[in-house]
Amino acid sequence: MTQSPPAAQTVLDAAILAARAAGRLMSGHRHRTKRVNDATRHDIKLELDVRCQRLITRVLTASHPGIPVLGEEASHEEATRAPSRWVVDPIDGTVNFAHGIPHAAVSIALQVRETPRTAGYADGYATVAGVVFDPFCEELFTAVRGGPARLNGRRIRVSERPLSEAVLSLGFSGRPGSVPSMVRDVRRLSPRVRKLRIMGSAALALAYVAAGRFDAYVERGIRLWDIAAGGLIIESAGGRFERKEIGSDGRIALTASNGRAGRALRRWL
Ligand code: LIP
């Protein structure tokens, strides 16, 4: 018998508790020197990424012991086949956070394995609850599948702006080959939108599209934990979240939008 997913509200409550706990850890270290575990050409890994992931995992498994975690810093082996799983990015926007730029968030999603695959993703999972928490602005974005998207409890919806009036955000993953595609996107898109923005957190960019601040977000080579929660929040706010697995290492090409701007955007990508 397949395990039925846990009740959506208890899942959301657990994810909010965990996100706020990690957010407090981030805020407490905002002005302190952060220990770097690894630094590459276009990325930084902090000791705090690991500490936040451990804290989030502790809170989530205390409330839902049978659900494994798929996380940026560590994953349970069974998370690739379990009936339900948490998908966690403990600090999305790590480079911003490492540089003292207060634009980063905790991203936590609950996914269930689908049979049949109505969401249609290659991994067979669909997101049923999502939380993106920005501890610096104290903004908590939430959604449960079938319900509204909310910002600090208040319903939010995507904008109605056309591409010509859009603020379009782009993500720069820094993976090999991403610079030429980024340059091409900037060259093609900048004449067709009002403004471009590259802010360094996919989770917050998706939440901003859901709140009608941004009108679309495009990134190639992003990871599932960066976008799982934000994708549900956008869909629950009336937007479109289109993702395609690219390459063998689980990276994703993403186009998220208010719907109207996204339809025009597809011609230029
Ligand atoms: C970040 C993403 C961002 C991407 C960065 C990085 P992280 O996630 O949110 O969109 O462009 O390369 O992947 O690594 O800070 O959790």
Side-chain angles (χ1 to χ4, degrees), residues 15 67 115 255:
I67 301 179
T115 45
T255 306

Side-chain angles (χ1 to χ4, degrees), residues 42-45 49 72-73 89-96 170-175 200-203 217 219 221-223 225-226 251:
H42 295 299
D43 209 0
I44 293 175
K45 289 284 173 206
D49 283 297
E72 180 168 24
E73 303 309 325
D89 187 346
I91 303 177
D92 184 75
T94 300
V95 175
N96 285 352
L170 295 170
F172 172 42
S173 69
R175 71 188 177 95
S201 168
Y217 180 66
E219 182 158 354
I222 196 76
R223 298 285 190 172
W225 42 70
D226 297 313
R251 289 199 179 256

Side-chain angles (χ1 to χ4, degrees), residues 239-251:
R240 283 183 65 81
F241 176 68
E242 296 160 275
R243 62 174 249 205
K244 188 162 60 73
E245 280 67 17
I246 51 176
S248 56
D249 60 353
R251 289 199 179 256

